Amino acid sequence: MKIICIGRNYADHAKELKNDLPTEPVIFMKPKSALLLPEKPIYYPEFTKDLHFECEVVVKIDKNGTHVQEKFANKYYSEITLGIDFTARDIQREQQKKGLPWEIAKAFNGSAAVGNFVPLSDTLNIDDLDFQLKLNDSVVQDGHTRDMIFNIDKIIAYASQFFTLNIGDLIFTGTPAGVGPVKIGDKLEGYLQGNKVLDVDVK
Ligand code: MG
């Protein structure tokens, strides 16, 4: 499986990192080794001094497809959760400054934390979802999927031109404003429509 991630997909977050708004989805990948399964802790990596959380809606692909048309994209997923796109912000800044790829800042072991998947339904519509991240019981990110620049169907249509989607692939759909650093001992909890789906301790 692969993990496809979208950067700068919420205007308020692009602004907080002083990035321009994209005209096409910004895509990067994480390998399978980046996956951090539900309830597992992340161990603060030694190579960074500025590990950041980015809470994101995560979509699980459940049908193989390439060149998927946007109007059929909703046939390719049925479950979602929240995840954390852990980012070594200091390394990312260095890499960006040098014009180098991001992988060592974004795709390291444990950098793709996921919560428990829940099925989409008439009452859980992916384009109309509230989500929150709490850091040690305080809400630090509060997003709504309607604020995505590119919604999930547009992302699937765009990404599948380049990469065949396979059953089990995950798509991290981008983070709203409010990203910030964690330290050892912190507790992150993600809520989708008020229900807790994600729990990650920093060790
Ligand atoms: Mg992100």
Coordinates of all heavy atoms in Angstrom, one line a residue, residues 5-7 13 28 54 56 85 87 106 174-175, ligand 1:
C5 N -0.5 12.0 0.1 CA -0.8 13.1 1.0 C -0.9 14.4 0.2 O -0.2 14.6 -0.8 CB 0.4 13.3 2.0 SG 0.8 11.9 3.0
I6 N -1.8 15.2 0.6 CA -2.1 16.5 0.0 C -1.6 17.6 0.9 O -1.9 17.6 2.1 CB -3.6 16.7 -0.3 CG1 -4.2 15.4 -1.1 CG2 -3.9 17.9 -1.1 CD1 -3.5 15.1 -2.4
G7 N -0.8 18.5 0.3 CA -0.3 19.7 1.0 C -1.1 20.9 0.7 O -1.8 21.0 -0.4
H13 N -4.5 27.3 6.4 CA -3.2 26.7 6.8 C -2.1 27.1 5.8 O -1.0 27.4 6.2 CB -3.3 25.2 6.8 CG -2.0 24.5 6.9 ND1 -1.2 24.5 8.0 CD2 -1.3 23.7 6.0 CE1 -0.1 23.8 7.8 NE2 -0.1 23.3 6.6
F28 N 2.4 14.6 -2.1 CA 3.6 13.9 -1.8 C 3.2 12.5 -1.2 O 2.0 12.3 -1.0 CB 4.5 14.7 -0.8 CG 3.8 15.1 0.5 CD1 4.0 14.3 1.7 CD2 3.0 16.1 0.7 CE1 3.4 14.6 2.9 CE2 2.4 16.5 1.9 CZ 2.6 15.7 3.0
E54 N -0.1 17.6 12.3 CA -1.1 18.2 11.3 C -2.2 17.2 11.2 O -2.1 16.1 10.7 CB -0.4 18.3 9.9 CG 0.7 19.2 9.8 CD 1.2 19.4 8.3 OE1 0.7 18.8 7.4 OE2 2.2 20.2 8.2
E56 N -5.6 15.5 9.9 CA -6.2 15.5 8.6 C -7.2 14.4 8.5 O -7.1 13.4 9.1 CB -5.0 15.2 7.5 CG -3.8 16.1 7.8 CD -2.8 16.2 6.6 OE1 -3.1 15.5 5.6 OE2 -1.9 17.0 6.8
D85 N -0.4 13.9 10.1 CA 0.7 14.0 9.2 C 1.9 14.6 10.0 O 2.0 15.8 10.0 CB 0.3 14.8 8.0 CG 1.5 15.3 7.1 OD1 2.6 14.7 7.2 OD2 1.3 16.2 6.3
T87 N 5.3 16.0 11.0 CA 6.2 16.7 10.2 C 7.4 17.2 11.0 O 7.2 17.9 12.0 CB 5.5 17.9 9.5 OG1 4.4 17.4 8.8 CG2 6.4 18.7 8.6
K106 N 8.9 14.3 6.2 CA 7.5 14.0 6.2 C 7.2 12.5 6.1 O 6.0 12.2 6.4 CB 6.9 14.6 4.9 CG 6.7 16.1 4.9 CD 5.3 16.4 5.6 CE 4.8 17.8 5.4 NZ 3.5 18.0 6.1
G174 N -5.0 16.8 3.8 CA -4.5 18.1 4.1 C -5.0 18.6 5.4 O -6.0 18.1 6.0
T175 N -4.3 19.6 6.0 CA -4.6 20.0 7.4 C -5.1 21.5 7.4 O -4.7 22.3 6.6 CB -3.4 19.9 8.3 OG1 -3.8 19.9 9.6 CG2 -2.4 21.0 8.0
Ligands
MG1 MG -0.2 17.7 5.9

